[in-house]
Amino acid sequence: MALRPAHVIIKALAPEAIGRFWAEALDWQAYSPGVTTYVGPAGGLVWPHPEFVGIDVVPVPQAKTAEKNRVHLDLATRSAAHREELVARLRALGAKPADVGQGTAPWTVLADPEGNEFCVLQPQEIHRDTGPIDAVVVDCVDPRAMARFWGRAMDWTVHEVTDEHAVLRSAKDVGPYFRFLRTPGVKTVPDRVHVDLLPYPGDDKETEVARLRDLGAADLDVGQGDVPWTCLTDPEGHEFCVLAPS
């Protein structure tokens, strides 16, 4: 048994506006099937997508704090010219430069209109087949422990593990990477960005949740009440949800 990423959740005061930002940023399309705004490839709402990990922007009443998100997106670029054009387009859409201590790093750090940080990467060969989202990046204390937990939680392949970082990708070797980076500090506030996981058809959600608890996940109460999904945290406190199979 294993789970698959369904989408990346971004919490927002104005989900439709933030959904439009990310749709234009990624050259994807925004869909509003209900109170949330889903962002995915053009051509119709496909959830979960067989190759890409979409974005679901959900409404919340609180604004982001000044603290840096512990989860963010890295955007891929095809060439130096594309990177320059993308950064300019993102700025025109309302993105602002962000300083997260990156110094003279070769990537550009920006924040969306509600302050959620993300990076625009320099072009590299390994980014060419990821789609517009190169990676979901998670700050952590122990990348090796995160690789063990998430590698067992999902059906993704662990590609690389060191004391400094760990890399996972779909078993089909398509779509974005999951990267876990050793980062100073520990998580202290709820994140604005997290991942939702989905069982495969025929699998039982409660059985999967019990398996995750055995791996080190903990229950999380964010006031969700009686909902069809289960809120958990990984061993370092990163929130995630397990959805009911569709």
Side-chain angles (χ1 to χ4, degrees):
M1 295 185 295
L3 296 158
R4 52 191 163 148
H7 41 233
V8 174
I9 294 290
I10 297 179
K11 299 176 182 177
L13 291 172
E16 289 190 9
I18 295 302
R20 287 194 301 272
F21 169 87
W22 282 103
E24 294 186 51
L26 302 173
D27 288 324
W28 280 359
Q29 189 168 336
Y31 307 88
S32 295
V35 297
T36 71
T37 297
Y38 188 82
V39 178
L45 177 57
V46 177
W47 180 90
H49 197 278
E51 295 183 24
F52 304 111
V53 176
I55 295 173
D56 199 18
V57 188
V58 303
V60 293
Q62 304 88 9
K64 181 181 180 295
T65 68
E67 185 164 337
K68 172 183 175 290
N69 284 335
R70 300 284 288 182
V71 181
H72 72 268
L73 301 180
D74 279 356
L75 306 190
T77 60
R78 300 184 297 272
S79 65
H82 175 234
R83 181 173 179 273
E84 183 177 350
E85 180 276 329
L86 178 58
V87 170
R89 181 157 56 88
L90 292 165
R91 295 286 301 272
L93 290 171
K96 298 286 192 294
D99 185 353
V100 294
Q102 68 269 25
T104 57
W107 53 86
T108 300
V109 183
L110 300 171
D112 74 12
E114 290 199 10
N116 299 298
E117 303 88 356
F118 64 96
C119 298
V120 181
L121 303 181
Q122 68 276 31
Q124 295 185 45
E125 189 62 33
I126 62 170
H127 303 160
R128 291 189 180 276
D129 65 348
T130 61
I133 299 176
D134 172 81
V136 179
V137 183
V138 181
D139 294 345
C140 64
V141 175
D142 187 346
R144 292 185 183 276
M146 289 294 95
R148 284 193 298 271
F149 174 83
W150 286 95
R152 294 169 184 168
M154 303 191 300
D155 64 342
W156 282 29
T157 301
V158 178
H159 282 258
E160 185 178 1
V161 181
T162 72
D163 290 340
E164 298 299 319
H165 70 274
V167 181
L168 286 71
R169 198 183 192 194
S170 159
K172 297 179 180 179
D173 213 28
V174 297
Y177 294 90
F178 272 29
R179 301 185 189 277
F180 298 89
L181 301 182
R182 190 170 73 86
T183 307
V186 296
K187 182 173 163 52
T188 58
V189 298
D191 221 322
R192 305 287 285 186
V193 182
H194 72 260
V195 176
D196 277 359
L197 303 181
L198 183 67
Y200 282 91
D203 286 349
D204 178 67
K205 179 176 77 73
E206 293 308 320
T207 300
E208 287 296 310
V209 168
R211 186 176 66 85
L212 293 171
R213 292 189 184 112
D214 288 341
L215 292 174
D219 291 299
L220 174 67
D221 185 355
V222 292
Q224 66 269 24
D226 185 15
V227 292
W229 57 87
T230 300
C231 299
L232 300 168
T233 59
D234 73 12
E236 289 199 12
H238 302 102
E239 302 92 351
F240 66 98
C241 297
V242 179
L243 308 180
S246 54

